[in-house]
Amino acid sequence: MDNIYLIMLIALAILAIADLVVGVSNDAVNFLNSAIGSKAVSFKTIMIVASIGIAFGALSSSGMMEVARKGIFVPEKFYFDEIMVIFMAVMITDILLLDFFNTLGLPTSTTVSIVFELLGAAFCMTFIKLSGNSDTLLHLGEYINSDKAIEIIVGILLSVAIAFTVGALVQFITRLLLTFNFAKRPTWNAAAFSGIATAAISYFIIIKGLKSADFVQGAFLDWANANVWPFIGLSFIVWFLISYILIKAFKLNVYVMVIIFGTFALAMAFAGNDLVNFIGVPMAAYNSYEIWLASGEPATSFTMESLAEKVPTQPLLLLGAGLVMILTLWFSKKARRVVKTSVDLSRQDEGQERFKANAGSRALVRGAMKLNAGIMSILPDSAKQMMEKRFAKPKVTSRVATIDMPAFDLVRASVNLMIASVLISVATSLKLPLSTTYVTFMVAMGSSLADRAWGSESAVYRVAGVLNVIGGWFMTALSAFTAAAIMAFLLYKGGSIALFLLFAAAIAILVRNYMNHKKRSEAEAEEGRLMRAVSNSIQGIINESTTNVASAFRRGSKVYVGTIEGLAKVDLGKLKKSKKGIAKLNNEVEELRNSLYYFIKNLDETHVQASRFYIDVLGYLQDVTQSIDFVTTSSYNHLNNNHKGLKFTQLKDLKEIEDKLDKLFSKIEDTFNAKNFDDLVAILEEKQNLLDSVSQKIEKQVERTRSADASPKNTMLYFSILQETEDLIKATMNLLEHYYIEHKKHM
């Protein structure tokens, strides 16, 4: 039986590595979003800087390991076998929970998840123990550090509100002073900002990073921690002079320097603070196993008061964990998806929004607009004119430049990093619990609001996105507590059988999610996302948009064929897949139509006619996708409502139409890929034959409908498919005719 604990230890080691991978995928948003969003330097440079920061942070994380050992529960009140159940339940829950959020592309807090998992598992074991002895619920505080749990919850709520407010206030003041034309401001402005930001980040590194590092010791660190304000003042003077010299002598962009330095600092803090979230529990389990093994006592009667003592640091293990984090950072596609969510919610320009508006976001936006109107009504006109002037954005005349613009500029990226560093430093020095994810995300959202990135066209969607993310955070706490408690109960009652089953299930779910994500990514790459046009002439747009047309018809054909096959086989799953495919294509076409404003606005006066061609192309494409969407949705609803499938004669006729359309779409794809627009003539000649074929099928169904065995639902679906297919053919031919005519005009 004792071998079960060795097996648990091996399982915990495996789960620790997997947890590092899924954890880094989630927490990469903490330190990558500012640098990536601003495009300050190349992506490769950002990753190198972050990797170095993680390596330093991993070696300085030893001081945080005590949380998993004694921060949430009182170890002397539990036996060794109970402690191992708690640790095992926590790790299985943590890895599944974080992978779930990564798959959704939502950032969540690994700190909150691990704390509430420890709390949930410890609560479960406490109730099991209380049910077996004379203690009552009044003795709960002897087992659980409830004060610590309440402190963490309050700290989380405060950190969310404070981070958003401070981020918005500092960004507003900074933008008011530096404006969007910050590159044209006097040299001392940039040097002063760089001095303040770099001094704050330097203090952050000292307080949050190197302070707990065993490999860095010395009188300077002691002096800096004992003399905070003199250190910050001296740092400001030194960095102001360095920045001024770098700008004057070497024409260096100090905002980029601040972003690189800040990225390094937050990456270091992430590894130093959050590494405990991934390997703290397995390390505590290993220490417990060593202590128990040396005691020679039974696991069911050996109390773990020794776990409350401080243990020596294991730098090689920390460095190994840091290496896993660095490799994950470089190769995890899920990490980039989570970062994209944060960047999209804070980007300066308009565009396709990921989140849909809801009642909460609408109410908040209306309230904010009324508050803003009230404040503006009491301000003098001179103040309002001054603010409008200071917040005026520089005009971008190049269409290519507009598309390739960063999500936000260097000033906002620097403010994000500086404020996040300061808030985390202050909380650490005051020993206040917080989540680095919550702080960095809410600072970014606050600075976005102050920078007028949330305009009337996007505010309601961005606020909805923020509410979704925040809702996910609270869901993290609740689900972590509940799931860990259930896991602990199953492990305690089920013993070795439950251990093997739960461990195998966790690994299987991770592998399945990985394979599904990989397949989805490969499918998206293969199908080719529709891209915005960047040319400003008709001929240029004709050539550019051929890829979109070829992709749309390839994907449309796949959906239409899948729909008819799903109907024939009465396969609701296949129809559901087709429904998702056409919905995605519809959204991409809609996204292109939403970008028409920016396309037209950036056209040269000599090429305004290109806008009409592009508008018509998108209109025809939308007609095509909407017709396919109608066919697919009608078919799906028919089967989903448990109506009878189509009759053999109906399916046979539809199969003939499907084959003809599949060949037609294949010809269109080949023609547009090869840009052989003269070949469109032969395709256009097929129009009447196709329409006649559909018309014949409609007439045949009219005759069948008169028979006694006709079904009303089947007949309605069949007519709907054929009529919409007629519209699909007409929209397709209109698009081809449009291309052919314009091509001939501009040969």
Side-chain angles (χ1 to χ4, degrees):
M1 181 62 184
D2 290 347
N3 290 334
I4 188 64
Y5 301 112
L6 180 60
I7 294 172
M8 290 176 82
L9 205 61
I10 295 171
L12 283 169
I14 296 171
L15 290 173
I17 297 173
D19 205 31
L20 277 169
V21 173
V22 297
V24 173
S25 297
N26 188 286
D27 280 5
V29 68
N30 295 355
F31 50 89
L32 291 182
N33 60 347
S34 292
I36 291 176
S38 65
K39 296 186 178 180
V41 290
S42 67
F43 182 76
K44 185 177 180 180
T45 302
I46 295 169
M47 298 295 278
I48 292 172
V49 171
S51 299
I52 297 172
I54 287 175
F56 273 88
L59 291 174
S60 65
S61 65
S62 58
M64 301 299 297
M65 292 298 170
E66 302 303 311
V67 175
R69 296 161 50 83
K70 58 185 179 182
I72 303 300
F73 56 86
V74 182
E76 58 264 29
K77 301 295 290 185
F78 294 90
Y79 297 121
F80 172 69
D81 63 325
E82 296 166 343
I83 287 285
M84 291 299 286
V85 166
I86 290 174
F87 289 154
M88 196 72 201
V90 166
M91 289 305 293
I92 292 176
T93 303
D94 196 58
I95 197 169
L96 294 177
L97 189 64
L98 292 181
D99 188 65
F100 171 73
F101 275 92
N102 291 347
T103 303
L104 294 179
L106 295 175
T108 192
S109 171
T110 53
T111 303
V112 170
S113 64
I114 202 75
V115 166
F116 277 89
E117 284 153 6
L118 283 166
L119 197 59
F123 255 100
C124 177
M125 289 308 306
T126 299
F127 277 107
I128 291 174
K129 289 177 69 67
L130 291 177
S131 65
N133 59 33
S134 59
D135 289 344
T136 66
L137 289 176
L138 297 176
H139 296 86
L140 189 64
E142 298 177 10
Y143 295 82
I144 305 295
N145 288 331
S146 54
D147 292 342
K148 185 70 173 179
I150 294 172
E151 184 184 357
I152 289 172
I153 295 170
V154 173
I156 290 167
L157 294 173
L158 285 176
S159 67
V160 168
I162 292 173
F164 184 85
T165 304
V166 175
L169 183 62
V170 174
Q171 178 61 38
F172 177 80
I173 295 172
T174 303
R175 186 65 72 191
L176 204 60
L177 295 173
L178 295 178
T179 75
F180 281 95
N181 290 306
F182 56 89
K184 298 179 181 179
R185 303 293 296 168
T187 302
W188 70 267
N189 281 20
F193 177 82
S194 174
I196 295 172
T198 312
I201 294 170
S202 300
Y203 173 68
F204 170 72
I205 291 175
I206 295 293
I207 293 296
K208 188 67 179 172
L210 300 182
K211 181 181 179 180
S212 59
D214 291 340
F215 65 92
V216 179
Q217 299 294 335
F220 176 73
L221 292 183
D222 296 334
W223 177 84
N225 283 286
N227 302 273
V228 174
W229 288 110
F231 170 74
I232 293 177
L234 181 62
S235 295
F236 168 72
I237 294 171
V238 171
W239 283 111
F240 172 80
L241 293 174
I242 291 174
S243 300
Y244 193 87
I245 293 170
L246 290 174
I247 296 171
K248 280 292 187 182
F250 301 99
K251 306 298 181 185
L252 183 72
N253 190 332
V254 291
Y255 296 102
V256 173
M257 181 185 74
V258 170
I259 291 170
I260 292 175
F261 195 36
T263 300
F264 166 82
L266 280 182
M268 187 181 74
F270 154 70
N273 183 76
D274 289 359
L275 186 59
V276 64
N277 300 340
F278 314 127
I279 68 170
V281 168
M283 286 183 69
Y286 176 69
N287 293 332
S288 302
Y289 181 79
E290 284 187 320
I291 295 168
W292 166 73
L293 201 61
S295 71
E297 296 185 25
T300 55
S301 60
F302 180 68
T303 55
M304 296 302 301
E305 57 269 1
S306 301
L307 199 62
E309 300 174 4
K310 188 172 178 62
V311 296
T313 305
Q314 300 182 34
L316 289 179
L317 184 59
L318 295 177
L319 192 60
L323 181 61
V324 174
M325 297 168 84
I326 291 170
L327 292 174
T328 302
L329 188 67
W330 279 88
F331 296 108
S332 173
K333 292 182 179 179
K334 286 187 177 181
R336 300 180 190 184
R337 186 178 179 188
V338 177
V339 171
K340 185 177 185 300
T341 297
S342 180
V343 171
D344 283 349
L345 287 174
S346 57
R347 70 180 186 270
Q348 194 73 38
D349 63 319
E350 310 288 348
Q352 185 72 14
E353 302 293 342
R354 175 180 169 183
F355 297 93
K356 294 183 179 180
N358 54 48
S361 67
R362 294 187 189 101
L364 284 173
V365 171
R366 287 193 195 101
M369 290 174 68
K370 290 179 181 178
L371 178 63
N372 180 67
I375 295 173
M376 295 301 288
S377 65
I378 62 176
L379 287 177
D381 291 339
S382 58
K384 288 188 281 189
Q385 290 172 4
M386 184 271 290
M387 280 193 291
E388 288 299 321
K389 183 177 179 181
R390 307 292 283 186
F391 276 84
K393 298 180 180 66
K395 293 183 179 179
V396 181
T397 56
S398 169
R399 172 67 182 158
V400 178
T402 303
I403 290 175
D404 198 42
M405 281 178 64
F408 40 81
D409 65 10
L410 301 177
V411 169
R412 177 135 66 96
S414 301
V415 168
N416 287 346
L417 293 165
M418 175 179 66
I419 299 304
S421 299
V422 169
L423 291 178
I424 296 172
S425 300
V426 171
T428 301
S429 63
L430 296 176
K431 302 187 183 307
L432 297 174
L434 54 70
S435 164
T436 53
T437 302
Y438 293 0
V439 170
T440 53
F441 180 83
M442 293 310 295
V443 166
M445 296 304 103
S447 65
S448 302
L449 175 65
D451 223 21
R452 301 186 180 182
W454 296 356
S456 59
E457 300 291 329
S458 62
V460 70
Y461 307 107
R462 305 282 177 88
V463 173
V466 174
L467 292 178
N468 272 281
V469 173
I470 293 176
W473 294 346
F474 286 98
M475 182 182 135
T476 299
L478 180 62
S479 55
F481 181 92
T482 306
I486 294 172
M487 290 287 183
F489 180 81
L490 293 175
L491 286 168
Y492 186 80
K493 294 296 184 181
S496 57
I497 295 176
L499 171 64
F500 287 118
L501 290 177
L502 290 175
F503 179 75
I507 298 300
I509 291 171
L510 285 176
V511 171
R512 187 198 65 180
N513 287 349
Y514 171 78
M515 296 303 296
N516 288 344
H517 184 269
K518 185 179 179 181
K519 287 179 181 178
R520 188 163 58 248
S521 299
E522 290 175 351
E524 288 176 357
E526 182 181 348
E527 70 184 14
R529 183 176 178 83
L530 303 187
M531 303 300 293
R532 294 185 189 180
V534 296
S535 294
N536 53 16
S537 66
I538 293 180
Q539 191 60 49
I541 293 173
I542 288 174
N543 291 325
E544 269 185 16
S545 55
T546 53
T547 304
N548 280 349
V549 174
S551 175
F553 278 100
R554 179 178 68 253
R555 294 161 63 183
S557 177
K558 183 179 178 181
V559 169
Y560 192 93
V561 170
T563 298
I564 302 305
E565 289 181 358
L567 272 177
K569 297 177 181 178
V570 195
D571 187 345
L572 191 62
K574 196 171 188 65
L575 285 172
K576 187 175 182 180
K577 185 177 179 181
S578 296
K579 195 167 177 283
K580 287 182 178 179
I582 194 60
K584 187 173 184 298
L585 183 57
N586 251 332
N587 288 336
E588 290 176 25
V589 174
E590 185 63 27
E591 184 178 343
L592 295 183
R593 289 178 64 83
N594 287 339
S595 69
L596 277 172
Y597 169 80
Y598 305 99
F599 171 77
I600 296 171
K601 191 172 182 179
N602 290 287
L603 281 174
D604 295 336
E605 291 184 5
T606 55
H607 297 105
V608 175
Q609 287 184 346
S611 63
R612 181 53 190 267
F613 173 78
Y614 190 55
I615 291 170
D616 290 341
V617 167
L618 294 183
Y620 292 134
L621 263 184
Q622 189 173 53
D623 291 342
V624 169
T625 57
Q626 286 181 346
S627 291
I628 299 174
D629 187 15
F630 182 87
V631 171
T632 303
T633 302
S634 299
S635 302
Y636 174 81
N637 291 339
H638 183 85
L639 290 191
N640 197 34
N641 289 330
N642 299 311
H643 298 314
K644 292 181 180 180
L646 296 181
K647 296 183 179 298
F648 175 78
T649 51
Q650 293 172 319
L651 290 171
K652 182 181 177 183
D653 289 347
L654 285 180
K655 184 64 179 174
E656 290 179 12
I657 299 295
E658 174 219 300
D659 288 339
K660 291 181 179 180
L661 279 182
D662 189 30
K663 291 176 183 177
L664 172 69
F665 287 177
S666 180
K667 289 179 184 178
I668 294 172
E669 180 190 351
D670 293 341
T671 300
F672 277 82
N673 279 332
K675 294 183 174 62
N676 292 327
F677 298 113
D678 290 332
D679 293 347
L680 292 176
V681 176
I683 299 176
L684 288 168
E685 290 175 352
E686 299 179 26
K687 176 180 179 180
Q688 196 56 49
N689 289 334
L690 288 168
L691 291 175
D692 289 344
S693 178
V694 174
S695 181
Q696 290 171 7
K697 301 295 186 290
I698 293 175
E699 291 174 3
K700 286 175 63 177
Q701 180 60 28
V702 170
E703 293 298 325
R704 285 195 294 259
T705 304
R706 296 174 65 84
S707 64
D709 62 342
S711 167
K713 294 293 183 184
N714 286 13
T715 301
M716 182 176 69
L717 173 65
Y718 187 73
F719 279 137
S720 297
I721 292 174
L722 290 179
Q723 287 177 314
E724 203 60 41
T725 300
E726 272 189 329
D727 291 341
L728 171 62
I729 294 169
K730 292 174 182 176
T732 299
M733 295 304 175
N734 288 339
L735 175 65
L736 302 185
E737 287 174 4
H738 191 57
Y739 262 94
Y740 182 73
I741 292 170
E742 291 298 335
H743 169 66
K744 285 298 183 182
K745 281 184 183 178
H746 300 91
M747 285 183 61

